Amino acid sequence: MISIPTSESPQGSFHPRLLIWSSNSNQQLDLFNQAWLEFTNSTLEQNLNDGWQQFIHPHDLQGLLRSWQEAHTVQAAFQCEYRLKRGDGQYRWFQCQAERRPAVSGEFCGFIATSIDLLQQEKQIESNRDIQNHLEGLLSSSSHGIWDWIDLNSIEQWWSPRFYELIGYQNQEIDSSMDTLKLLLHPDDADDTFLEIANALNKNDRFDREYRLRIKGGAYRWFRGFANVLRDESGHAIRMTGSMTDIHRRVQAEEDLKRSRQEAEQAKKEKNNFLAMMSHEIRTPLTAILGFSEMILESVPDPVTLTSAETIHINGEYLLNTMNDFLDRSKIEEGQFDLELLECSPITVIENVQTLMARKAALKQLPFHVSFENELPGTIKSDPIRLKQILSNVLGLAIKITEKGSIDLKISSGSTATGKQILKFKTTFENKGLNYAQLKQIFASSPPEENFLPGFGGGTGLGLFVCQQLARLLGGQITVAQESENHSLSSIEITIGTGHQLAKPMHQFYSPDRIREIKSSKVSYDLIPQNSRILLVEDGIYNQRLIHYLLSKAGADVKVVEHGQQALDELQKNKTGDEEIGAAYDLILMDIQMPVLDGYTTTRRLRSMGFTKPVIALTANVMAGDREKCIAAGCDEYLSKPIDRKRLLEVINGCLKKQRLNQLILH
């Protein structure tokens, strides 16, 4: 008889240790494995012959022997249970399974039996049950539904209880299979989802996809599925395990956000279209209103007529400024407002503002004083046009709400606590029309609830709100203070950053020759070179008259046509041989919005036909991107309406000069 070693299960294994013995055809036990000997704490000799029986519980021995004898007689396998004494004297229940001993001859030659410790087996079963319960607890508490495709050759899958719960069913209420999944998938998602599963299996990719499943009741919900593929040593897919998460709320939130953004974009587009339309419709007649009122101011000596013309001009400018304020506010709100920071002279800006504001103060018989507290830099880096806009609006407010006393503007340079160089403009005035809270609200950081100044005939406060934003963009702010105990004396202080000061500071500013005297509104005409022929393409009859008058007065020969097709016909008229199109003209002023053929299309056609001379866009389109569209269409320059007479003539002269230089270079 021999004993055979049994490979020990590693610690923590789930398989209980096996006790093995075998018998021969004579019913003699001739083999015990090491596990048997260790459990009974015995030697092989102690188990020989009938020695092994001493370790069987006396109450179980006869039953074991009887079962063995009966099986031996019929030469068939048998099973029984008995108690075996451990080395410490305690008995443990074992389950014995005896099979016929294999033999080459095929004859019966005894049994080989395995005995399993039932207590260990019960503990193992309990442990497995605990693990299973723990796993089920984890799965049920997880927000993920788990699925397992164990046999890829079968359509059957395993779905966790949470998986069923996510789609509205009880556990095992419907079959868990690929066919069921296909039925549940939204028709628009089914093909792509199965394609992704196939890619994961065939291309070693991870499955990760969002899809819709029909839940119990018929509605569809959004889910996100993940899966990994298990492969054998040769790389073939043998199993696929994954999870599924309900993402319906997230998808709905994203769709709501997308819809809100689209609605906001549409509202923004409609607002911009409205502003563009209003700007165009207002600027077009303002060209004639401001232009002809200037002509009257220059040519009529009658005081009553002059006063009437000046009133028309001032109100026209007010309307234009209001429109510009709306456009500025829109650009600021959308973060599209661009400043043009230049090296500029603050004295020049102050002189221009003083000239304009002194005239307005004089109409109300209010003295207007400008003084300097200390030296100012000769040059600052700022946007002079926006600085003038801020000063003009603030001083305009002071003049508007002051009935008596003077308007005092004090200017100084200084620095902040952080060393930043600034300019200060402090306007002091008698304010008996607005209380302190109202005055502060005008310059609040948020748009005014009421865009008017109470008690002063309406009057927009929008421009003043825009000025606060502009001051901040220029590195400063606008603040309001009360300067007297009776609260009638108020002040508005404007600060702006000066950037890097390149020029030396000025000395001894305030002298009569530093601030220019108020001049007449009559404007001298710049001249256009004689014999210059200009084609004006403009559909508005009043603007035709005004621009024709201005250009003729400046020395140009002007031809007027009403739309783009007439312009093409005119430029091709009398063309002979290889002569360049439009040879009779030196420059074109092109309106953009016209009937029949607009300015963009006309300019593109002219350029494609070989017209190389200057084309200047003269248009009421002043929204963001309008200048770029004109240049892209082939225009050399862009001018906005209402017409700035001086700028118009400057640009025309500049284009004609450039054209002459190009001709000299070519010849």
Side-chain angles (χ1 to χ4, degrees):
M1 297 182 65
I2 60 173
S3 66
I4 60 173
T6 302
S7 58
E8 298 293 334
S9 299
Q11 186 176 4
S13 170
F14 292 110
H15 302 287
R17 189 164 57 167
L18 293 178
L19 277 55
I20 302 174
W21 56 265
S22 68
S23 65
N24 55 30
S25 58
N26 298 323
Q27 286 188 274
Q28 297 292 322
L29 272 63
D30 58 3
L31 181 144
F32 294 92
N33 72 341
Q34 188 65 29
W36 175 284
L37 300 178
E38 289 180 358
F39 185 83
T40 58
N41 192 24
S42 62
T43 64
L44 180 60
E45 288 75 13
Q46 289 176 312
N47 288 276
L48 294 177
N49 300 319
D50 297 333
W52 59 273
Q53 296 181 14
Q54 64 181 304
F55 301 110
I56 305 299
H57 195 285
H59 293 171
D60 303 331
L61 180 59
Q62 293 304 315
L64 171 59
L65 292 174
R66 184 169 52 252
S67 296
W68 182 15
Q69 180 62 48
E70 291 173 355
H72 187 84
T73 301
V74 296
Q75 300 180 1
F78 73 95
Q79 180 177 322
C80 64
E81 293 182 0
Y82 57 83
R83 283 168 283 186
L84 186 66
K85 184 166 65 174
R86 201 165 58 182
D88 59 3
Q90 294 185 7
Y91 285 94
R92 296 275 285 273
W93 278 100
F94 278 80
Q95 184 182 65
C96 177
Q97 179 69 40
E99 300 287 343
R100 284 171 53 114
R101 193 169 180 174
V104 176
S105 63
E107 296 179 355
F108 177 71
C109 58
F111 294 98
I112 183 166
T114 58
S115 299
I116 299 176
D117 187 336
L118 291 179
L119 180 60
Q120 289 284 27
Q121 187 179 39
E122 184 63 29
K123 288 182 178 179
Q124 184 61 51
I125 293 172
E126 186 64 30
S127 177
N128 290 343
R129 187 179 296 113
D130 289 343
I131 292 172
Q132 183 177 357
N133 291 338
H134 181 64
L135 179 59
E136 290 178 354
L138 287 175
L139 292 178
S140 63
S141 63
S142 171
S143 61
H144 301 278
I146 308 300
W147 56 273
D148 194 1
W149 195 4
I150 301 172
D151 182 1
L152 299 183
N153 295 318
S154 169
I155 64 170
E156 299 300 322
Q157 295 180 333
W158 174 82
W159 295 351
S160 72
R162 178 60 176 161
F163 189 104
Y164 280 98
E165 183 181 340
L166 288 174
I167 56 177
Y169 291 92
Q170 297 294 323
N171 190 19
Q172 306 298 321
E173 186 177 348
I174 57 176
D175 290 338
S176 54
S177 67
M178 290 293 283
D179 286 347
T180 305
L181 180 64
K182 190 170 185 178
L183 290 173
L184 294 178
L185 276 166
H186 192 284
D188 294 341
D189 301 335
D191 290 343
D192 289 339
T193 301
F194 274 88
L195 179 61
E196 289 296 321
I197 291 175
N199 288 337
L201 293 171
N202 299 327
K203 299 180 180 180
N204 202 23
D205 294 333
R206 188 172 187 269
F207 176 78
D208 182 353
R209 182 170 179 79
E210 295 181 359
Y211 47 78
R212 286 161 289 181
L213 293 179
R214 188 179 71 248
I215 64 173
K216 191 173 184 178
Y220 284 94
R221 288 185 70 85
W222 278 98
F223 296 89
R224 185 173 185 179
F226 302 88
N228 287 315
V229 178
L230 180 65
R231 300 181 183 275
D232 59 20
E233 294 180 355
S234 61
H236 294 106
I238 59 175
R239 187 170 180 172
M240 192 176 195
T241 304
S243 64
M244 182 179 73
T245 307
D246 189 327
I247 59 168
H248 195 73
R249 289 185 179 179
R250 192 208 76 193
V251 172
Q252 279 191 324
E254 290 175 351
E255 290 177 349
D256 291 344
L257 180 60
K258 182 180 179 181
R259 186 162 48 252
S260 297
R261 285 176 176 171
Q262 290 174 342
E263 291 173 355
E265 287 295 324
Q266 182 61 28
K268 176 182 173 181
K269 183 178 179 180
E270 291 175 357
K271 182 193 75 172
N272 288 339
N273 289 340
F274 173 77
L275 287 175
M277 179 193 69
M278 289 299 298
S279 176
H280 185 276
E281 294 302 313
I282 291 174
R283 287 174 184 276
T284 298
L286 277 179
T287 300
I289 292 170
L290 294 176
F292 282 108
S293 62
E294 283 183 353
M295 289 170 52
I296 296 172
L297 288 170
E298 294 166 0
S299 59
V300 177
D302 176 50
V304 176
T305 304
L306 285 174
T307 300
S308 300
E310 187 172 46
T311 301
I312 294 171
H313 196 273
I314 289 173
N315 281 276
E317 285 184 330
Y318 170 77
L319 184 59
L320 176 62
N321 290 335
T322 300
M323 190 68 244
N324 288 337
D325 289 339
F326 275 108
L327 297 181
D328 285 346
R329 174 182 171 180
S330 177
K331 292 177 183 177
I332 290 171
E333 289 177 343
E334 295 175 11
Q336 297 179 350
F337 193 92
D338 294 323
L339 293 172
E340 188 176 8
L341 298 179
L342 307 171
E343 299 294 338
C344 60
S345 168
I347 292 300
T348 301
V349 175
I350 295 166
E351 288 174 343
N352 291 335
V353 171
Q354 192 268 352
T355 300
L356 177 63
M357 291 298 108
R359 184 186 303 123
K360 290 187 176 182
L363 292 175
K364 294 186 67 175
Q365 298 181 342
L366 297 173
F368 177 47
H369 304 133
V370 178
S371 61
F372 299 87
E373 301 291 293
N374 59 5
E375 296 178 348
L376 300 190
T379 303
I380 63 173
K381 192 167 187 179
S382 187
D383 187 324
I385 294 176
R386 296 304 179 180
L387 177 56
K388 179 181 177 181
Q389 179 181 350
I390 296 170
L391 292 172
S392 298
N393 273 274
V394 170
L395 288 168
L397 170 66
I399 293 170
K400 188 178 186 69
I401 63 177
T402 299
E403 296 299 325
K404 64 178 182 178
S406 62
I407 310 296
D408 298 313
L409 174 62
K410 296 181 180 180
I411 307 161
S412 63
S413 62
S415 60
T416 64
T418 59
K420 177 182 176 182
Q421 298 298 311
I422 58 172
L423 287 184
K424 295 181 182 179
F425 303 85
K426 185 175 182 179
T427 302
T428 307
F429 53 95
E430 288 284 342
N431 170 29
K432 293 186 178 179
L434 294 177
N435 61 45
Y436 181 60
Q438 290 173 321
L439 193 58
K440 285 189 66 176
Q441 178 59 36
I442 293 173
F443 297 98
S445 58
S446 57
E449 295 180 1
E450 298 178 333
N451 291 323
F452 63 88
L453 305 181
F456 293 91
T460 181
L462 178 61
L464 299 168
F465 164 74
V466 170
C467 286
Q468 176 67 283
Q469 313 310 310
L470 292 177
R472 291 177 177 175
L473 290 173
L474 290 175
Q477 62 179 343
I478 300 177
T479 56
V480 176
Q482 293 175 317
E483 298 292 323
S484 63
E485 293 182 358
N486 60 9
H487 307 312
S488 63
L489 192 63
S490 298
S491 68
I492 303 173
E493 184 175 273
I494 307 164
T495 61
I496 64 161
T498 62
H500 181 60
Q501 301 173 10
L502 300 179
K504 294 181 180 179
M506 293 192 65
H507 300 277
Q508 281 307 115
F509 278 116
Y510 191 48
S511 57
D513 59 341
R514 282 307 306 163
I515 300 295
R516 291 200 291 263
E517 295 181 357
I518 303 173
K519 295 183 178 180
S520 166
S521 61
K522 291 184 171 64
V523 179
S524 61
Y525 288 93
D526 291 332
L527 298 179
I528 296 174
Q530 289 186 351
N531 301 321
S532 295
R533 294 210 66 199
I534 296 176
L535 179 64
L536 172 61
V537 189
E538 164 68 57
D539 63 315
I541 184 171
Y542 299 112
N543 287 336
Q544 289 176 359
R545 293 176 183 175
L546 174 65
I547 298 170
H548 185 280
Y549 174 82
L550 295 177
L551 297 182
S552 299
K553 191 79 172 178
D557 184 4
V558 184
K559 171 74 175 180
V560 179
V561 294
E562 295 183 356
H563 52 73
Q565 187 58 54
Q566 287 186 358
L568 293 175
D569 295 341
E570 174 66 24
L571 292 169
Q572 294 180 93
K573 187 172 62 177
N574 301 324
K575 181 179 180 298
T576 60
D578 296 333
E579 186 180 38
E580 180 182 355
I581 182 175
Y585 291 94
D586 300 300
L587 180 143
I588 299 176
L589 281 177
M590 183 73 70
D591 189 22
I592 294 300
Q593 288 193 350
M594 297 180 293
V596 184
L597 202 63
D598 63 56
Y600 296 123
T601 306
T602 304
T603 303
R604 281 192 288 266
R605 290 189 183 179
L606 281 174
R607 295 308 189 194
S608 68
M609 295 166 67
F611 186 81
T612 60
K613 294 176 181 178
V615 177
I616 300 173
L618 185 59
T619 175
N621 296 347
V622 295
M623 300 298 287
D626 284 334
R627 175 185 175 83
E628 290 73 17
K629 286 176 64 177
C630 292
I631 301 302
C635 297
D636 297 272
E637 280 288 353
Y638 165 95
L639 291 172
S640 63
K641 297 177 182 177
I643 296 168
D644 182 324
R645 181 188 327 185
K646 182 178 179 182
R647 176 64 179 159
L648 172 66
L649 299 181
E650 283 177 352
V651 170
I652 290 175
N653 282 327
C655 287
L656 292 175
K657 182 179 179 180
K658 184 177 179 180
Q659 178 70 12
R660 289 195 299 271
L661 289 175
N662 290 338
Q663 290 175 345
L664 289 174
I665 292 172
L666 292 174
H667 297 291

